[in-house]
Amino acid sequence: MLQTSKIRELSFLVYGLGITGLSVIKFFKRNNIKNFQVWDDNQKNLFKYYKPKNLIKSLNDVDYIVLSPGISLIKNKKLLKFKEKIITDLDLFYLSNNKLISIVVTGTNGKSTTCKLLAHLLKTNNFKIVLGGNIGRPILDLKYTKNCFVIIEASSFQLSHSKFICPNYALFLNLTNDHLDWHGSMANYLNSKLKIFKLQKKNHFAIVNKKFKNIFIKKNFSSKIVIPDFRNYKNIKFKIDNDYLTSEINNENMSFVYTISKLFKINKKSFINSMKSFKGLPHRFETFLKRDKTIFINDSKATSFKATQTALSSLKNIFWILGGLPKQGDKIKISKFKKNIIKCYLIGTNTNFFKNQIKGKITFSVTKNLKNTIFQILKDLKLKKYNTKYILLSPAAASYDQFSNFENRGNEFKRICRKYVKKFS
């Protein structure tokens, strides 16, 4: 593995000046790595920081292209010719920090929550940890200390271009249709996730969803495979006094975390005590408001139906807010959950897509936006008395048609609900 001193002998092009690109530049400057150039397809953004050179010449001349994770080769075909040169900030981390112990978490759903759970578990059991990557701060902005465990959330965008990632512990949670417009195919998407195992050594651990056990074995990876078994976690689940964690929505995440706890020799009692004090992340099945027998849940992070269906299976008497920008290839299959849904409210600019999939199966209204939705729910609640009921934003779609991101969507939902909460009472 290269050391930072060896990296100084190489040349780089930092492609993309978002949060990650700027983090890479700071890393280079901090480590006295001077032989790098910069490019951003947004010329205004580029001139703000550096005077650009000829892009094609730069791509040809440099040893490595450090690509920002959001940039797809499918949409930037000029980069395809230079695919072998492309690396990521994750690669720079591994090239320059080969003695740190790392835990990498990937999957379609649950990455952030699992990373936070791992960080909480280890921290409360006196391990030194830092957390970053696709969650929180970029990996190169983190400050590491000796004997520190680095927990990294790795998106498929990052992994798709990574070449030197080599975690001591690699977790592959799950895989469903997502980001296919970026990756081009399900096979490409899967292969990006599998990169976390490619360079692992025999003394490393691969914690793998049982659905991908055979794929892992066929690839002939070197690391020790460990398959989380939900039955092991189920035996202690209800000893954890934490409503957020004992809901069905976190079964998979917790199975992985419990598996890690055993690898780290954390006993059951310590595991249970640690999990009691864990607080869930915003926008992930987040109960943020309760009034009488009405419970408000913000699950804005659920950007595919696979991410939504656990919420629908976990609750009853649901007023379900659905819609946004549908994911390529996604289908809304509600036959197993329709008994739990009182009514559905369709938001966003793609309501016809969702209407066609739920028509004739559940009662619904097209409300277009969150404010209209809340007012419609107010009217519907007056028509019939229910026991405990749930106002659930779990859109099964991306947010970009009406919002800048899922956080913006979730925060707006919470703001509107709180504003009109007295009317619910």
Side-chain angles (χ1 to χ4, degrees), residues 20 37 42 64 67 102 123 201 239 263 282 337 392 420:
T20 301
Q37 302 172 42
N42 181 338
Y64 287 110
L67 194 64
S102 62
K123 194 172 182 179
K201 300 177 176 62
K239 294 180 181 179
L263 293 176
F337 318 110
L392 172 68
Y420 299 105

Side-chain angles (χ1 to χ4, degrees), residues 321 347 369-374 393 403 409 412-413 416:
I321 304 168
I347 63 170
N369 61 55
L370 288 175
K371 186 175 180 180
N372 291 346
T373 299
I374 297 307
L393 171 67
F403 303 93
R409 176 171 61 188
E412 180 65 5
F413 175 61
I416 291 170

Side-chain angles (χ1 to χ4, degrees), residues 312 320 322 332 334-335 337-346 355 357-365:
L312 296 179
W320 176 30
L322 165 70
I332 312 300
I334 57 168
S335 57
F337 318 110
K338 63 181 183 180
K339 67 181 183 300
N340 297 339
I341 303 165
I342 294 171
K343 188 173 178 180
C344 179
Y345 304 82
L346 300 181
K355 186 195 300 183
Q357 298 200 51
I358 66 171
K359 190 165 50 179
K361 299 172 184 175
I362 54 173
T363 304
F364 68 90
S365 290

Side-chain angles (χ1 to χ4, degrees), residues 65-267:
I65 302 160
V66 188
L67 194 64
S68 288
I71 298 172
S72 166
L73 300 192
I74 291 173
K75 296 179 181 179
N76 291 265
K77 296 189 184 301
K78 61 180 174 288
L79 294 172
L80 282 171
K81 180 181 174 182
F82 306 97
K83 189 175 180 181
E84 294 307 309
K85 289 186 176 185
I86 294 173
I87 62 171
T88 68
D89 61 329
L90 292 182
D91 292 318
L92 290 172
F93 166 78
Y94 278 97
L95 289 170
S96 57
N97 293 283
N98 57 330
K99 291 184 179 179
L100 286 169
I101 300 172
S102 62
I103 305 170
V104 171
V105 180
T106 196
T108 306
N109 301 309
K111 296 186 296 294
S112 296
T113 298
T114 301
C115 284
K116 283 284 189 178
L117 283 163
L118 286 171
H120 184 76
L121 172 69
L122 296 182
K123 194 172 182 179
T124 54
N125 283 279
N126 301 315
F127 290 84
K128 293 179 183 177
I129 66 103
V130 290
L131 170 63
N134 196 50
I135 182 174
R137 298 173 67 190
I139 192 67
L140 295 176
D141 284 355
L142 298 179
K143 294 181 179 179
Y144 321 107
T145 58
K146 192 176 181 181
N147 300 321
C148 182
F149 289 79
V150 183
I151 301 171
I152 303 169
E153 179 185 326
S155 72
S156 60
F157 299 165
Q158 291 171 304
L159 294 175
S160 180
H161 302 313
S162 293
K163 292 180 172 62
F164 300 104
I165 184 167
C166 182
N168 303 80
Y169 300 85
L171 283 70
F172 183 13
L173 305 178
N174 48 55
L175 191 80
T176 58
N177 281 351
D178 206 356
H179 307 307
L180 298 190
D181 55 336
W182 196 96
H183 289 282
S185 70
M186 197 67 180
N188 289 343
Y189 184 36
L190 171 61
N191 286 331
S192 73
K193 299 293 188 185
L194 294 174
K195 280 192 176 183
I196 59 174
F197 309 119
K198 192 172 181 180
L199 295 181
Q200 281 192 300
K201 300 177 176 62
K202 289 182 179 180
N203 61 333
H204 292 163
F205 291 90
I207 300 93
V208 182
N209 187 307
K210 63 183 179 181
K211 293 179 182 178
F212 306 103
K213 179 181 178 181
N214 290 337
I215 293 173
F216 182 93
I217 293 169
K218 284 180 183 177
K219 292 282 185 179
N220 201 28
F221 294 124
S222 298
S223 50
K224 301 173 186 176
I225 185 171
V226 180
I227 308 296
D229 189 338
F230 173 66
R231 291 172 296 182
N232 294 334
Y233 167 61
K234 188 177 180 181
N235 291 332
I236 65 163
K237 176 179 177 178
F238 291 103
K239 294 180 181 179
I240 300 170
D241 186 15
N242 186 325
D243 290 342
Y244 176 75
L245 293 182
T246 52
S247 66
E248 287 185 26
I249 204 161
N250 276 302
N251 282 346
E252 187 171 70
N253 301 335
M254 288 294 286
S255 294
F256 275 82
V257 175
Y258 186 51
T259 300
I260 282 280
S261 75
K262 291 190 284 186
L263 293 176
F264 279 60
K265 302 189 186 313
I266 297 170
N267 64 44

Side-chain angles (χ1 to χ4, degrees), residues 225-422:
I225 185 171
V226 180
I227 308 296
D229 189 338
F230 173 66
R231 291 172 296 182
N232 294 334
Y233 167 61
K234 188 177 180 181
N235 291 332
I236 65 163
K237 176 179 177 178
F238 291 103
K239 294 180 181 179
I240 300 170
D241 186 15
N242 186 325
D243 290 342
Y244 176 75
L245 293 182
T246 52
S247 66
E248 287 185 26
I249 204 161
N250 276 302
N251 282 346
E252 187 171 70
N253 301 335
M254 288 294 286
S255 294
F256 275 82
V257 175
Y258 186 51
T259 300
I260 282 280
S261 75
K262 291 190 284 186
L263 293 176
F264 279 60
K265 302 189 186 313
I266 297 170
N267 64 44
K268 289 181 183 179
K269 184 177 180 181
S270 296
F271 177 82
I272 291 167
N273 287 335
S274 295
M275 293 298 101
K276 285 178 181 178
S277 57
F278 178 79
K279 293 182 179 179
L281 289 120
H283 315 297
R284 289 131 172 116
F285 204 68
E286 174 194 10
T287 298
F288 66 95
L289 192 61
K290 293 181 181 180
R291 283 295 182 274
D292 299 328
K293 292 182 178 180
T294 304
I295 297 172
F296 299 80
I297 298 177
N298 166 29
D299 197 29
S300 181
K301 182 63 173 67
T303 57
S304 68
F305 185 67
K306 180 70 175 178
T308 289
Q309 65 184 22
T310 311
L312 296 179
S313 68
S314 302
L315 307 171
K316 292 185 178 179
N317 296 330
I318 303 169
F319 292 81
W320 176 30
I321 304 168
L322 165 70
L325 192 64
K327 292 294 179 74
Q328 183 178 326
D330 208 6
K331 294 181 180 179
I332 312 300
K333 298 179 179 179
I334 57 168
S335 57
K336 292 181 181 178
F337 318 110
K338 63 181 183 180
K339 67 181 183 300
N340 297 339
I341 303 165
I342 294 171
K343 188 173 178 180
C344 179
Y345 304 82
L346 300 181
I347 63 170
T349 58
N350 296 272
T351 52
N352 284 339
F353 170 85
F354 298 96
K355 186 195 300 183
N356 290 336
Q357 298 200 51
I358 66 171
K359 190 165 50 179
K361 299 172 184 175
I362 54 173
T363 304
F364 68 90
S365 290
V366 178
T367 47
K368 291 289 187 180
N369 61 55
L370 288 175
K371 186 175 180 180
N372 291 346
T373 299
I374 297 307
F375 280 123
Q376 186 60 53
I377 292 174
L378 277 171
K379 293 178 183 178
D380 291 340
L381 281 171
K382 291 178 181 178
L383 296 177
K384 188 175 179 181
K385 296 293 182 183
Y386 300 96
N387 291 322
T388 303
K389 57 264 184 193
Y390 296 89
I391 316 301
L392 172 68
L393 171 67
S394 191
S399 57
Y400 307 121
D401 59 332
Q402 291 185 314
F403 303 93
S404 57
N405 50 47
F406 73 84
E407 292 100 335
N408 177 223
R409 176 171 61 188
N411 287 331
E412 180 65 5
F413 175 61
K414 291 193 287 185
R415 184 192 70 78
I416 291 170
C417 288
R418 287 177 174 135
K419 183 175 181 179
Y420 299 105
V421 66
K422 289 183 181 178

